[in-house]
């Protein structure tokens, strides 16, 4: 079995060392990332504040331990991932029915500025489509796809964050893209059938 | 079989804007972190520093400052360190917008309209009982591998999470961002004062000076009956009452608090202070 440690040193070598910013600057820089990814990991709106707060509490406590051997972003995402898992476990104990990552998309959250109605409708439709397609993926694939495509992380960074082999990450990414594309194709086909 | 193409990528990337936090989201969590960690993220100090002048910042100017600062604050995270300057600018933006009634209406609404969160709100992620999760083997991880949660280390916040935010409330807050300014409460910029009072009360409790803690908490209740930190106040009041020997009153407060906020990070401390069972 390949342990995370097997891939981390080589991964770390690929990453340029980045200076560790002060916590305040780090919060300013990474809060949006943490917020977005918490949402995308299925954290419901009513728990987002708590989850994000917890992530930065841990970051604050552990910042001195960070030696720049991985990217800050992947390090922070690793913390977020663990916080979300703990959060889910708590939710599951409390009420299993609230654990529905597929329901995490909220049309109300769509920003409504800067688009004319038609453009907005089209964009919102695509966002819903994307959300539905993502929901079809298992979480491992979804997470990799989102981190790479929406957050611009590299496969080694994602591997680092999730503690998995880079090859595994790349395989998940390929599978996720394929599945996502297949879902979109099926959706388009159904739409054409409904509206000849 | 479908292959990944430009259309797929465009569709997926349509989600980029969906999950973006608002400035209110950022400010709210920042305020909570400042309270919990006893640090300054620039928000509190800036609020205090500008509170006296903010009323002279009129709508258009405020909007300009907000826009400028927001663009700084929303710079791509891969674009380098934002730095304290960016944070400071963002803080100015929050205050400036606040002067136009934006933050004011949101924060006051959060306090005033907060429904009982116990029925819908999951709790803070920190927990005192869950064992550390090990989703992947990490025995061989490097020091910089994402640290796992060590639950005991997560429990001692001096000032813990405010109310879990009910879904409807969060949505309402977001909607408020586009709402026309309503009346701005005079205490809008009192967050720093709130933090100071609650923080001092917390310190007093840590020194077993429950009487002083009660005084500070009652002052907070008087000055900020609908304050941002009212939940913290309620929980600490229960603890302080029990610690000061006002056991009956303290237990009543504790029971009320726990019935509404059973999963609050303060819950364990309250139970312990008031001798209540899990």
């Amino acid at each position: 079995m390949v342990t995370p440690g097997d891939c981390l040193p080589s991964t770390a070598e690929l990453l340029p060392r980045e200076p560790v910013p002060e916590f305040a600057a780090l919060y300013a820089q990474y809060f949006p990332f943490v917020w977005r990814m918490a949402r995308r990991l299925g954290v419901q709106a009513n728990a987002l504040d708590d989850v994000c707060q917890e992530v930065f509490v841990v970051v604050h406590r552990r910042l001195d331990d960070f030696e720049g051997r991985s990217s800050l972003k992947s390090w922070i995402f690793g913390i977020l991932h663990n916080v979300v898992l703990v959060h889910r476990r708590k939710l599951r104990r409390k009420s299993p029915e609230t654990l529905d990552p597929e329901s995490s998309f909220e049309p109300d959250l769509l920003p409504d500025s800067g688009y004319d109605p038609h453009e907005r409708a089209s964009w919102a439709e695509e966002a819903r489509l994307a959300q539905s397609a993502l929901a079809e993926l298992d979480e491992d694939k979804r997470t990799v796809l989102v981190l790479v495509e929406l957050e611009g992380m590299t496969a080694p960074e994602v591997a680092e964050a999730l503690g998995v082999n880079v090859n595994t990450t790349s395989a998940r990414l390929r599978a996720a893209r394929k599945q996502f594309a297949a879902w979109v194709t099926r959706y388009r086909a159904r739409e054409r059938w409904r509206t000849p | 079989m479908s292959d990944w193409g430009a259309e797929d990528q465009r569709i997926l990337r349509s989600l980029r804007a969906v999950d973006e936090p608002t400035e209110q989201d950022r400010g709210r969590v920042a305020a909570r972190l400042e309270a919990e960690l006893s640090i300054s993220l620039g928000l509190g100090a800036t609020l205090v520093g500008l509170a006296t002048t903010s009323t002279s910042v009129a709508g258009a100017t405020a909007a300009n400052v907000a826009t400028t600062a927001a663009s700084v604050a929303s710079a791509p995270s891969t674009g380098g360190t934002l730095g304290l300057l960016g944070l400071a600018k963002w803080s100015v933006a929050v205050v400036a917008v606040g002067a136009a009634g934006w933050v004011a209406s949101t924060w006051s609404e959060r306090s005033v309209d907060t429904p009982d969160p116990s029925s819908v709100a999951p709790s803070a992620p920190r927990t005192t009982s869950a064992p550390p999760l090990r989703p992947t083997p990490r025995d061989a991880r490097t020091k910089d591998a994402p640290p796992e949660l060590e639950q005991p280390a997560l429990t001692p916040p001096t000032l813990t999470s405010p109310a879990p935010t009910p879904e409807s409330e969060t949505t309402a807050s977001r909607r408020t961002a586009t709402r026309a300014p309503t009346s701005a409460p005079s205490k809008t910029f009192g967050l720093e004062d709130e933090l100071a009072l609650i923080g001092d009360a917390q310190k007093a409790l840590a020194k077993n000076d429950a009487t002083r803690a009660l005084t500070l908490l009652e002052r907070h209740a008087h000055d900020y009956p609908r304050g941002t930190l009212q939940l913290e106040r309620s929980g600490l009041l229960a603890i302080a009452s029990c610690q000061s020997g006002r056991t009956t009153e303290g237990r009543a407060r504790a029971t009320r608090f726990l019935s509404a906020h059973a999963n609050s990070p303060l819950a364990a401390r309250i139970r312990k202070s008031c001798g209540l069972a899990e």
Side-chain angles (χ1 to χ4, degrees), chain B residues 58-80:
Chain B
T61 307
N64 287 341
V65 175
T67 304
T68 305
S71 65
V72 171
S74 61
S77 57
T78 53

Side-chain angles (χ1 to χ4, degrees), chain A residues 46 50 69 89 108 126, chain B residues 10 32 133 144 147 165 175:
Chain A
N46 57 13
D50 290 332
R69 296 182 65 182
R89 176 178 287 192
D108 278 352
E126 291 203 334
Chain B
R10 191 194 69 240
R32 292 170 61 161
L133 285 175
D144 284 348
T165 310
R175 287 174 180 151

Side-chain angles (χ1 to χ4, degrees), chain A residues 26 67 99 107 124 136 138 142 176 178 188:
Chain A
L26 188 144
E67 293 181 333
L99 256 187
E136 291 293 307
D138 67 49
R142 183 166 59 233
K178 198 170 183 176
R188 295 291 195 214

Side-chain angles (χ1 to χ4, degrees), chain A residues 23-38 48-49 51-53 55-56 76 80, chain B residues 19-30 33 41 73 77 82 87 90:
Chain A
F23 181 74
L26 188 144
Y27 177 79
Q29 185 173 355
Y30 288 102
F31 174 76
F33 168 67
V34 168
W35 180 275
R36 289 192 301 266
M37 288 311 302
L48 274 171
D49 282 12
V51 167
C52 291
Q53 178 185 1
V55 168
F56 282 101
I76 290 171
L80 168 65
Chain B
D19 298 310
E20 205 63 39
T22 65
E23 292 305 311
Q24 294 150 287
D25 298 328
R26 188 197 292 257
R28 222 174 36 245
V29 176
L33 282 167
L41 290 173
S77 57
L82 195 65
L87 186 67
W90 165 76

Side-chain angles (χ1 to χ4, degrees), chain A residues 102-149:
Chain A
E102 296 183 19
S103 67
S104 61
F105 178 72
E106 297 174 40
D108 278 352
L109 298 185
L110 293 175
D112 58 1
S113 60
Y115 295 94
D116 68 42
H118 293 299
E119 190 179 355
R120 172 173 156 67
S122 163
W123 172 77
E125 176 60 27
E126 291 203 334
R128 287 189 180 86
L129 173 57
Q131 192 72 27
S132 302
L134 278 182
E136 291 293 307
L137 303 179
D138 67 49
E139 176 152 331
D140 287 341
K141 294 194 193 83
R142 183 166 59 233
T143 302
V144 172
L145 186 64
V146 164
L147 286 173
V148 171
E149 290 294 336

